Amino acid sequence: MADQEEWTVRVDSEACLMSGLCMSLAPDVFAVRDYRSVALTDRSAPDDRLLEAAEFCPAEAIGIHRLPGGEPVLGIG
Ligand code: SF4
């Protein structure tokens, strides 16, 4: 069986502007804690909703990185 690609998901909660975009796109991945967005999981299978959230986050607060190397797929560094 071929290895399944895996991503890490990270939110810079300090930078979050609470637009709500990420939560509306992927409510199973992003949620509100203390008036800021957080990632409910730090790992995900490749998911276009996460790319959309990272691309359109007005605070550029979402980072998606590819495992195992950790190179950015999109978003924060
Ligand atoms: S899209 Fe960005 S600014 Fe909006 S709630 Fe999510 S992390 Fe915060």
Side-chain angles (χ1 to χ4, degrees):
M1 191 170 89
D3 284 342
Q4 186 81 32
E5 184 172 320
E6 194 174 26
W7 292 350
T8 62
V9 184
R10 190 162 62 90
V11 176
D12 180 352
S13 296
E14 294 295 315
C16 172
L17 298 172
M18 271 308 298
S19 70
L21 174 74
C22 56
M23 298 152 207
S24 65
L25 286 169
D28 54 322
V29 177
F30 302 101
V32 181
R33 295 285 185 275
D34 296 328
Y35 307 104
R36 295 283 191 267
S37 174
V38 296
L40 297 173
T41 178
D42 61 353
R43 301 286 172 92
S44 173
D47 184 334
D48 286 345
R49 301 173 307 158
L50 304 184
L51 295 181
E52 196 171 344
E55 183 172 5
F56 294 107
C57 170
E60 300 181 353
I62 299 171
I64 311 294
H65 294 76
R66 188 174 286 116
L67 290 175
E71 69 270 22
V73 179
L74 205 63
I76 54 176

